[in-house]
Amino acid sequence: MKEITDILNAYYYAQKQGKKAALATVVKVDGSSYRRPGARMLVTDDGLLTGAISGGCLEGDALKKALSAIHQQENRLVMYDTTDEDDAKFGVQLGCNGIVHILFEPIDGLDENNPIKILESINGERENAVIVTLFSLQSKTQLGTRSIIKSENQFGNLPTSIALETLADAQQVLANEKSELKNYKIENELVDGFIEFVKPPIALIIAGAGNDAQPLATIAHLLGWQVTIADGRPTHATLQRFPNAKILVTKPAQILPQLSMDTQTAVVLMTHNYNYDTELLGLLLQTDVPYIGALGPKKKLVRMLDELEMNTETNRSRVYGPVGLDIGAETAEEIAISIIAEIKSSLSGATASSLKEKKQAIHSQTKSIS
């Protein structure tokens, strides 16, 4: 979601400057690549790039293709094939041994269903959504980013002949929480559909406004997470100390009623106030929040659970205490990195093991079905 937010902000700025822009989207990948389907980049007509569609190797050529799309005001699909070992002949030096399909869409500010308007409809919302992007590997007709589907509503403009089928597929992707590639037929012409599942950003609630909470809040904000600081001390929980966070100066019992927690929510207890953390822990264990982290030694956590009379195997397994991955962290900044990594790993369902030990592809493949 951070990439989408950055792209929207860059587009708004470009509009104010009277610049034209195009959106580049990775819609299909075969084999290995640095970015997966759903990666986006905004290109303005003066060459400014926001977002990324590769590790930097594609951006130079993509800039040329985007400027061409802006000039011609026409969607364009470009394939980069690096399965040949001598990928230098493509002039992009990918070195990834894969085939990447990128859709370039010039932004028409007068079109109420342009790709930017579609991305706007999910920005800042805490709701799962599906973005439908239609393209074709077999013809020059590239329909582009066409719709956003949520559980209760839809925004965009799908072709009438495939609208019902596409909406059904989108609802299935919402249910499965996994993107898919689909095939459709419009007037006897095959059309590919990237049905992309999009989660809201992680919401991080930090109970504690001490100095060690500052790097945690800073790194989380850098990642595009939504940060809330909760503490009972008005001298510590301030916008001056946490300029990019929502501030709650309150007792534990008043924290949860002011927040909306979902499957992308993480809470870290680090007030260094034993009674505050214990009371909040008891309240959190009565919710479905997927990640609860507790700073401090394991014996402290056991004592807290004992005092709450909630020391069950289920509760012990729910709480990440001591919080963070074992990376040898010592400083507040290093501890923040270990906590951020554990939260990301937990909410993504990843193993948090070294990538060198992984037998499968680093990224999960987008499922392709006909």
Side-chain angles (χ1 to χ4, degrees):
M1 280 296 298
K2 182 181 186 299
E3 190 165 65
I4 290 177
T5 301
D6 290 345
I7 283 171
L8 291 174
N9 290 336
Y11 178 75
Y12 300 148
Y13 181 76
Q15 261 195 324
K16 291 180 180 179
Q17 301 297 313
K19 301 174 184 176
K20 295 181 180 180
L23 182 68
T25 305
V26 178
V27 292
K28 189 175 189 294
V29 170
D30 296 308
S32 176
S33 72
Y34 187 84
R35 297 296 306 272
R36 306 304 299 168
R40 291 178 172 83
M41 181 176 73
L42 186 79
V43 182
T44 56
D45 57 8
D46 61 345
L48 182 65
L49 309 179
T50 303
I53 52 174
S54 74
C57 43
L58 271 184
E59 274 67 7
D61 190 74
L63 171 60
K64 299 176 185 177
K65 301 297 192 298
L67 293 177
S68 175
I70 292 172
H71 177 72
Q72 297 176 8
Q73 284 298 295
E74 183 178 67
N75 293 350
R76 182 179 182 186
L77 186 72
V78 177
M79 179 187 72
Y80 295 94
D81 184 351
T82 63
T83 55
D84 191 313
E85 291 183 2
D86 184 20
D87 64 2
K89 67 185 180 183
F90 295 99
V92 293
Q93 296 286 347
L94 281 178
C96 288
N97 197 34
I99 301 175
V100 184
H101 300 267
I102 298 175
L103 181 65
F104 296 87
E105 302 174 82
I107 308 301
D108 179 0
L110 299 178
D111 180 3
E112 62 182 14
N113 292 312
N114 71 53
I116 292 296
K117 292 292 184 183
I118 288 175
L119 296 181
E120 279 180 340
S121 68
I122 62 169
N123 188 45
E125 293 194 4
R126 299 211 58 79
E127 182 180 1
N128 291 341
V130 168
I131 301 176
V132 176
T133 304
L134 301 175
F135 60 100
S136 177
L137 299 177
Q138 300 182 3
S139 74
K140 293 184 178 181
T141 302
Q142 308 299 338
L143 296 174
T145 306
R146 299 303 294 252
S147 184
I148 285 279
I149 292 94
K150 305 174 187 176
S151 58
E152 300 293 335
N153 56 65
Q154 178 215 343
F155 175 84
N157 182 28
L158 290 169
T160 304
S161 60
I162 63 169
L164 291 178
E165 184 181 1
T166 306
L167 288 172
D169 291 336
Q171 291 297 334
Q172 191 63 48
V173 166
L174 269 178
N176 295 338
E177 299 189 356
K178 188 172 183 180
S179 302
E180 290 186 356
L181 284 169
K182 292 283 291 185
N183 298 127
Y184 303 102
K185 186 172 287 188
I186 300 177
E187 297 179 355
N188 294 321
E189 187 173 280
L190 284 177
V191 173
D192 301 276
F194 175 40
I195 318 298
E196 177 190 2
F197 177 69
V198 181
K199 291 182 180 180
I202 291 174
L204 175 60
I205 303 163
I206 304 173
N211 292 344
D212 56 351
Q214 289 179 299
L216 180 60
T218 298
I219 296 172
H221 171 71
L222 181 64
L223 294 173
W225 296 7
Q226 296 173 352
V227 183
T228 298
I229 298 293
D231 198 299
R233 300 168 293 178
T235 55
H236 287 63
T238 67
L239 283 174
Q240 288 71 30
R241 287 169 55 79
F242 299 93
N244 299 302
K246 177 180 179 179
I247 305 295
L248 299 178
V249 182
T250 186
K251 297 178 180 179
Q254 277 74 57
I255 295 175
L256 300 191
Q258 300 183 61
L259 299 171
S260 177
M261 295 188 291
D262 52 37
T263 57
Q264 285 286 96
T265 300
V267 184
V268 178
L269 307 176
M270 53 189 306
T271 66
H272 301 282
N273 181 320
Y274 178 83
N275 293 330
Y276 195 105
D277 284 354
T278 301
E279 183 179 346
L280 184 53
L281 176 60
L283 297 170
L284 289 168
L285 288 173
Q286 298 175 54
T287 72
D288 294 326
V289 63
Y291 181 96
I292 305 170
L295 190 69
K298 187 179 291 289
K299 63 181 180 181
K300 173 188 171 183
L301 174 59
V302 172
R303 179 185 168 194
M304 293 165 70
L305 292 172
D306 283 340
E307 290 190 11
L308 292 166
E309 297 183 351
M310 302 177 76
N311 193 354
T312 65
E313 183 177 349
T314 297
N315 286 338
R316 289 194 302 274
S317 66
R318 279 195 65 189
V319 183
Y320 291 80
V323 67
L325 297 181
D326 183 5
I327 61 171
E330 291 286 344
T331 67
E333 292 78 11
E334 291 170 347
I335 292 170
I337 291 172
S338 77
I339 294 173
I340 289 285
E342 184 176 69
I343 292 172
K344 175 60 179 174
S345 172
S346 174
L347 296 186
S348 299
T351 63
S353 59
S354 176
L355 287 174
K356 68 180 290 185
E357 306 298 335
K358 193 164 186 176
K359 305 301 181 184
Q360 314 95 315
I362 294 175
H363 301 286
S364 60
Q365 299 292 317
T366 301
K367 187 178 179 182
S368 181
I369 54 179
S370 302

